[in-house]
Amino acid sequence: MTRRLDVAVERFPIAGAFTIARGSRTEAVVVLATITDPEGRIGRGECVPYARYGETVESVTALIRDQAEAIAAGATRADLLLRMTAGAARNALDCALFDLEAKQLGRPAFEIAGLSAPAVATTAYTLSLRDPESMEEAARKAAHRPLLKVKLGGVGDPERIAAVRRGAPDSRLIVDANEAWRAETIEANLAACVAAGVGLIEQPLPAGEDALLADLARPIPICADESLHDRAGLDALSRRYDAINIKLDKAGGLTEAVMLAHEARARGFSLMIGCMVGTSLAMAPAMLLAHHADYVDLDGPLLLARDREPGLRFDGSLIHPPEPALWG
């Protein structure tokens, strides 16, 4: 028997709705890759196809299945970097191979990745985009959390920012515009963020239309999300951004994400470790980088009505490293 690759599509309901500038959804649709070796050991990896990057559940599933023969023949994580482009499909396979390798070697995945042992981290908790009054109420309910991530949407954002600060006067705030700001509004929105004591701003302008950030006074650090996927994109961020958001689904797996983190640090960028809305299985590999980051945003399971069993352990906003039964 050679290694066998199985692919499944799974759906997990979101608690309420998750809304950003590009739309709203009520469930997380994830793709699960499972690799089984001849001795029956299993490695798993989860990814979230993202329409913003031209991905669908069908296209990602097909890309994973296209690698079945290579996986059966013994393809490695290094091979995947050459065989596939960065994206959700490669992430699922890369994380599955990491998990399988940890089981085969009897070593934790962090050692295999050349990292120090993961530790408990504080994750941001996301407030969906809504009208200012609703966001103030949501902030009030989440005011016990030390770090809130506020989704913004363009028109009316200064009012939303002020409303969230009223609702959560003591929480640290990150705002994420998801490319919704424009050249004519960015300075007013920045001023509103300064007034609210925001600590970080994610992707204010559309990717490809962010050149003006290089000459803009940035009283608050600005973090690239949609403008960066993997190491190949770092050069384009020069002078425009102060931080980068590393997501495994963008980078195409933990293997690339580790190298991206090292190179970004060497260039002076601060790091955020982020996620799509997925289950604990998608967050677990990212936890290996969490204690190397300035900001952690791995709250996907907290936004779900139902998570995997076993899942990650959360104590409020504290997220614990994964147990081997989950991943790694």
Side-chain angles (χ1 to χ4, degrees):
M1 173 185 170
T2 58
R3 295 190 306 190
R4 186 183 76 248
L5 172 64
D6 296 296
V7 189
V9 177
E10 300 179 337
R11 298 174 183 273
F12 292 82
I14 292 172
F18 181 76
T19 304
I20 65 172
R22 284 188 289 272
S24 182
R25 52 203 165 106
T26 57
E27 66 176 1
V29 183
V30 308
V31 178
L32 175 67
T34 303
I35 301 173
T36 306
D37 75 4
E39 286 72 42
R41 291 172 294 226
I42 293 174
R44 300 187 302 162
E46 177 186 307
C47 70
V48 180
Y50 203 50
R52 168 64 180 81
Y53 306 130
E55 297 175 337
T56 65
V57 171
E58 294 76 17
S59 68
V60 167
T61 301
L63 286 171
I64 294 172
R65 286 187 172 132
D66 284 347
Q67 300 301 317
E69 186 175 332
I71 293 296
T76 65
R77 292 181 287 109
D79 293 330
L80 293 184
L81 293 177
L82 301 175
R83 295 181 58 88
M84 305 177 73
T85 58
R90 194 177 75 189
N91 176 37
L93 286 172
D94 180 84
C95 291
L97 285 173
F98 245 120
D99 190 28
L100 181 62
E101 190 174 346
K103 291 179 170 67
Q104 290 172 331
L105 297 177
R107 297 171 55 201
F110 73 83
E111 285 188 3
I112 297 169
L115 300 170
S116 54
V120 175
T122 298
T123 181
Y125 180 79
T126 302
L127 302 181
S128 285
L129 172 67
R130 300 170 71 186
D131 61 82
E133 293 75 17
S134 298
M135 293 187 75
E136 180 174 352
E137 178 60 24
R140 188 171 293 111
K141 292 178 180 177
H144 62 286
R145 297 186 181 275
L147 179 62
L148 298 178
K149 178 171 176 173
V150 183
K151 291 291 187 178
L152 298 177
V155 176
D157 280 349
E159 293 77 15
R160 292 186 180 97
I161 297 164
V164 168
R165 178 48 82 198
R166 288 194 300 272
D170 299 322
S171 301
R172 296 163 57 213
L173 299 182
I174 301 168
V175 302
D176 184 3
N178 285 117
E179 306 179 278
W181 294 358
R182 296 296 180 263
E184 60 271 18
T185 62
I186 189 169
E187 291 191 1
N189 289 334
L190 280 171
C193 288
V194 170
V198 170
L200 187 74
I201 297 171
E202 270 191 82
Q203 198 67 44
L205 299 173
E209 300 178 26
D210 53 3
L212 70 84
L213 293 175
D215 300 313
L216 186 73
R218 300 199 296 270
I220 298 170
I222 295 181
C223 178
D225 185 357
E226 287 87 347
S227 287
L228 178 76
H229 292 252
D230 56 13
R231 287 169 293 160
L234 281 174
D235 286 342
L237 304 187
S238 177
R239 298 180 56 241
R240 300 181 187 184
Y241 293 94
D242 309 289
I244 65 167
N245 187 346
I246 299 176
K247 295 178 180 176
L248 302 193
D249 277 317
K250 289 191 305 173
L254 181 61
T255 301
E256 171 66 26
V258 170
M259 293 185 287
L260 173 58
H262 288 318
E263 188 164 333
R265 278 290 194 203
R267 293 177 182 231
F269 289 104
S270 297
L271 300 182
M272 172 186 282
I273 303 303
C275 67
M276 308 303 185
V277 182
T279 77
S280 285
L281 181 58
M283 308 302 121
M287 274 298 295
L288 272 59
L289 286 169
H291 61 309
H292 298 278
D294 303 280
Y295 293 91
V296 176
D297 178 26
L298 298 177
D299 65 340
L302 294 177
L303 305 176
L304 299 177
R306 172 177 60 84
D307 192 14
R308 294 187 187 277
E309 291 290 343
L312 289 170
R313 175 184 161 201
F314 288 87
D315 292 323
S317 291
L318 294 178
I319 178 172
H320 293 255
E323 296 294 331
L326 173 63
W327 183 89

